Amino acid sequence: MEAAISTLSALAQETRLAIFRALVRAHSPEEGRGGLAAGEIAGVLGVAPATLSFHLKELTHAGLILQRREGRSLIYKADLSAMLGLTGYLLDDCCQGACGSLSPCAPGGATIREKECAS
């Protein structure tokens, strides 16, 4: 529960949510690919570097983003497994467990019949 609260808390701020969404758009499933440098994020969102640094630290602390070094740049990438973990946690007890996983991204994600259980 503490991890879910930390994650939701980090996303409950306009700039951090915008950063996370920008990183999701720039995501690549390949290791060492995708993501954005801090300067690119600042340019896309119009955020001052000092402000951006603070928000990136908060998102990293919440486990929502990862970083890697490419030359002199830090490249930030959304950690989609963290987001899937959060949505899985939030939906785990749907229908008192009768629906199974409702995340379409989870291995063996929800079937049509299971999705109907949630409606």
mmCIF file of all heavy atoms in Angstrom, residues 11 15 18 25 27 39-41 43 45 53 56 64 69 81 85 95 98-99 107 113 117:
data_model
loop_
_atom_site.group_PDB
_atom_site.id
_atom_site.type_symbol
_atom_site.label_atom_id
_atom_site.label_comp_id
_atom_site.label_asym_id
_atom_site.label_seq_id
_atom_site.Cartn_x
_atom_site.Cartn_y
_atom_site.Cartn_z
ATOM 1 N N LEU A 11 2.438 11.218 -9.025
ATOM 2 C CA LEU A 11 1.700 11.559 -10.249
ATOM 3 C C LEU A 11 0.608 12.606 -10.025
ATOM 4 O O LEU A 11 0.062 13.130 -10.988
ATOM 5 C CB LEU A 11 1.082 10.299 -10.851
ATOM 6 C CG LEU A 11 2.077 9.298 -11.438
ATOM 7 C CD1 LEU A 11 1.361 8.025 -11.858
ATOM 8 C CD2 LEU A 11 2.844 9.902 -12.600
ATOM 9 N N THR A 15 2.961 18.873 -13.450
ATOM 10 C CA THR A 15 4.222 18.779 -14.189
ATOM 11 C C THR A 15 4.745 17.355 -14.191
ATOM 12 O O THR A 15 5.197 16.848 -15.228
ATOM 13 C CB THR A 15 5.268 19.736 -13.584
ATOM 14 O OG1 THR A 15 4.754 21.069 -13.631
ATOM 15 C CG2 THR A 15 6.575 19.678 -14.361
ATOM 16 N N ALA A 18 2.780 15.262 -16.566
ATOM 17 C CA ALA A 18 3.151 15.606 -17.945
ATOM 18 C C ALA A 18 4.500 14.981 -18.313
ATOM 19 O O ALA A 18 4.678 14.485 -19.430
ATOM 20 C CB ALA A 18 3.197 17.126 -18.120
ATOM 21 N N ARG A 25 5.327 8.336 -24.104
ATOM 22 C CA ARG A 25 5.278 8.524 -25.562
ATOM 23 C C ARG A 25 6.638 8.218 -26.199
ATOM 24 O O ARG A 25 6.701 7.750 -27.327
ATOM 25 C CB ARG A 25 4.836 9.942 -25.910
ATOM 26 C CG ARG A 25 3.350 10.183 -25.726
ATOM 27 C CD ARG A 25 2.900 11.527 -26.293
ATOM 28 N NE ARG A 25 3.446 12.668 -25.579
ATOM 29 C CZ ARG A 25 2.922 13.195 -24.467
ATOM 30 N NH1 ARG A 25 1.841 12.673 -23.940
ATOM 31 N NH2 ARG A 25 3.474 14.235 -23.900
ATOM 32 N N HIS A 27 8.784 6.030 -25.136
ATOM 33 C CA HIS A 27 9.234 4.720 -24.653
ATOM 34 C C HIS A 27 9.580 3.782 -25.807
ATOM 35 O O HIS A 27 8.980 3.835 -26.876
ATOM 36 C CB HIS A 27 8.139 4.080 -23.802
ATOM 37 C CG HIS A 27 8.578 2.818 -23.126
ATOM 38 N ND1 HIS A 27 9.363 2.827 -22.004
ATOM 39 C CD2 HIS A 27 8.363 1.518 -23.424
ATOM 40 C CE1 HIS A 27 9.608 1.587 -21.637
ATOM 41 N NE2 HIS A 27 9.013 0.772 -22.480
ATOM 42 N N GLY A 39 17.115 17.900 -21.170
ATOM 43 C CA GLY A 39 16.928 19.086 -22.006
ATOM 44 C C GLY A 39 15.761 18.946 -22.966
ATOM 45 O O GLY A 39 15.051 19.914 -23.237
ATOM 46 N N GLU A 40 15.568 17.740 -23.488
ATOM 47 C CA GLU A 40 14.433 17.493 -24.392
ATOM 48 C C GLU A 40 13.113 17.610 -23.636
ATOM 49 O O GLU A 40 12.150 18.188 -24.142
ATOM 50 C CB GLU A 40 14.539 16.104 -25.020
ATOM 51 C CG GLU A 40 15.696 15.936 -25.976
ATOM 52 C CD GLU A 40 15.846 14.510 -26.448
ATOM 53 O OE1 GLU A 40 16.009 13.610 -25.594
ATOM 54 O OE2 GLU A 40 15.789 14.300 -27.682
ATOM 55 N N ILE A 41 13.081 17.058 -22.429
ATOM 56 C CA ILE A 41 11.860 17.138 -21.618
ATOM 57 C C ILE A 41 11.550 18.595 -21.307
ATOM 58 O O ILE A 41 10.408 19.047 -21.455
ATOM 59 C CB ILE A 41 12.005 16.335 -20.311
ATOM 60 C CG1 ILE A 41 12.239 14.857 -20.607
ATOM 61 C CG2 ILE A 41 10.769 16.516 -19.433
ATOM 62 C CD1 ILE A 41 12.669 14.045 -19.388
ATOM 63 N N GLY A 43 12.405 21.243 -22.956
ATOM 64 C CA GLY A 43 11.958 21.926 -24.167
ATOM 65 C C GLY A 43 10.524 21.600 -24.547
ATOM 66 O O GLY A 43 9.747 22.481 -24.897
ATOM 67 N N LEU A 45 8.097 20.499 -22.584
ATOM 68 C CA LEU A 45 7.114 20.926 -21.580
ATOM 69 C C LEU A 45 7.266 22.388 -21.168
ATOM 70 O O LEU A 45 6.415 22.907 -20.447
ATOM 71 C CB LEU A 45 7.209 20.033 -20.340
ATOM 72 C CG LEU A 45 6.960 18.549 -20.584
ATOM 73 C CD1 LEU A 45 7.122 17.775 -19.279
ATOM 74 C CD2 LEU A 45 5.574 18.317 -21.176
ATOM 75 N N SER A 53 14.526 19.261 -12.680
ATOM 76 C CA SER A 53 15.381 18.408 -11.863
ATOM 77 C C SER A 53 14.651 17.939 -10.606
ATOM 78 O O SER A 53 14.719 16.760 -10.239
ATOM 79 C CB SER A 53 16.654 19.170 -11.492
ATOM 80 O OG SER A 53 17.475 18.382 -10.671
ATOM 81 N N LEU A 56 11.973 15.335 -11.695
ATOM 82 C CA LEU A 56 12.592 14.073 -12.097
ATOM 83 C C LEU A 56 13.050 13.284 -10.877
ATOM 84 O O LEU A 56 12.904 12.058 -10.825
ATOM 85 C CB LEU A 56 13.770 14.326 -13.039
ATOM 86 C CG LEU A 56 13.410 14.810 -14.446
ATOM 87 C CD1 LEU A 56 14.656 15.243 -15.205
ATOM 88 C CD2 LEU A 56 12.629 13.758 -15.210
ATOM 89 N N LEU A 64 8.971 5.489 -10.712
ATOM 90 C CA LEU A 64 8.238 5.589 -11.975
ATOM 91 C C LEU A 64 9.125 5.791 -13.190
ATOM 92 O O LEU A 64 8.688 5.544 -14.321
ATOM 93 C CB LEU A 64 7.229 6.736 -11.902
ATOM 94 C CG LEU A 64 6.009 6.442 -11.046
ATOM 95 C CD1 LEU A 64 5.254 7.721 -10.752
ATOM 96 C CD2 LEU A 64 5.122 5.439 -11.747
ATOM 97 N N ARG A 69 22.943 6.726 -18.607
ATOM 98 C CA ARG A 69 23.880 7.726 -19.119
ATOM 99 C C ARG A 69 24.223 7.403 -20.564
ATOM 100 O O ARG A 69 24.520 6.272 -20.903
ATOM 101 C CB ARG A 69 25.134 7.749 -18.269
ATOM 102 C CG ARG A 69 26.114 8.821 -18.715
ATOM 103 C CD ARG A 69 27.168 9.123 -17.700
ATOM 104 N NE ARG A 69 26.688 9.717 -16.472
ATOM 105 C CZ ARG A 69 26.342 10.991 -16.307
ATOM 106 N NH1 ARG A 69 26.382 11.813 -17.337
ATOM 107 N NH2 ARG A 69 25.961 11.450 -15.143
ATOM 108 N N SER A 81 6.836 -1.179 -15.978
ATOM 109 C CA SER A 81 6.539 -2.271 -15.044
ATOM 110 C C SER A 81 6.053 -1.708 -13.713
ATOM 111 O O SER A 81 5.203 -2.315 -13.055
ATOM 112 C CB SER A 81 7.753 -3.176 -14.851
ATOM 113 O OG SER A 81 8.820 -2.467 -14.253
ATOM 114 N N GLY A 85 2.453 -2.510 -12.180
ATOM 115 C CA GLY A 85 2.333 -2.965 -10.802
ATOM 116 C C GLY A 85 1.291 -2.168 -10.043
ATOM 117 O O GLY A 85 0.489 -2.728 -9.282
ATOM 118 N N CYS A 95 -14.239 -7.494 -8.135
ATOM 119 C CA CYS A 95 -15.232 -8.567 -8.078
ATOM 120 C C CYS A 95 -14.818 -9.632 -7.052
ATOM 121 O O CYS A 95 -15.028 -10.825 -7.273
ATOM 122 C CB CYS A 95 -15.438 -9.201 -9.443
ATOM 123 S SG CYS A 95 -15.825 -8.020 -10.743
ATOM 124 N N ALA A 98 -12.859 -12.535 -8.527
ATOM 125 C CA ALA A 98 -13.472 -13.416 -9.516
ATOM 126 C C ALA A 98 -13.076 -13.079 -10.951
ATOM 127 O O ALA A 98 -13.174 -13.919 -11.831
ATOM 128 C CB ALA A 98 -14.995 -13.371 -9.387
ATOM 129 N N CYS A 99 -12.617 -11.856 -11.185
ATOM 130 C CA CYS A 99 -12.299 -11.431 -12.556
ATOM 131 C C CYS A 99 -10.884 -11.768 -12.982
ATOM 132 O O CYS A 99 -10.575 -11.699 -14.163
ATOM 133 C CB CYS A 99 -12.492 -9.922 -12.694
ATOM 134 S SG CYS A 99 -14.189 -9.406 -12.441
ATOM 135 N N PRO A 107 0.622 -10.459 -18.197
ATOM 136 C CA PRO A 107 0.655 -11.765 -18.854
ATOM 137 C C PRO A 107 -0.678 -12.476 -18.653
ATOM 138 O O PRO A 107 -1.190 -12.527 -17.547
ATOM 139 C CB PRO A 107 1.786 -12.503 -18.123
ATOM 140 C CG PRO A 107 2.624 -11.427 -17.532
ATOM 141 C CD PRO A 107 1.689 -10.291 -17.237
ATOM 142 N N ARG A 113 -14.799 -11.969 -21.259
ATOM 143 C CA ARG A 113 -15.714 -12.369 -20.189
ATOM 144 C C ARG A 113 -15.288 -11.732 -18.863
ATOM 145 O O ARG A 113 -16.105 -11.228 -18.117
ATOM 146 C CB ARG A 113 -15.738 -13.896 -20.049
ATOM 147 C CG ARG A 113 -16.821 -14.378 -19.128
ATOM 148 C CD ARG A 113 -16.789 -15.930 -19.079
ATOM 149 N NE ARG A 113 -17.006 -16.389 -17.731
ATOM 150 C CZ ARG A 113 -16.138 -16.353 -16.730
ATOM 151 N NH1 ARG A 113 -14.958 -15.867 -16.894
ATOM 152 N NH2 ARG A 113 -16.453 -16.821 -15.547
ATOM 153 N N CYS A 117 -17.074 -8.545 -16.201
ATOM 154 C CA CYS A 117 -17.249 -8.626 -14.768
ATOM 155 C C CYS A 117 -17.098 -7.253 -14.121
ATOM 156 O O CYS A 117 -17.725 -6.969 -13.126
ATOM 157 C CB CYS A 117 -16.233 -9.604 -14.182
ATOM 158 S SG CYS A 117 -16.430 -9.946 -12.449
#
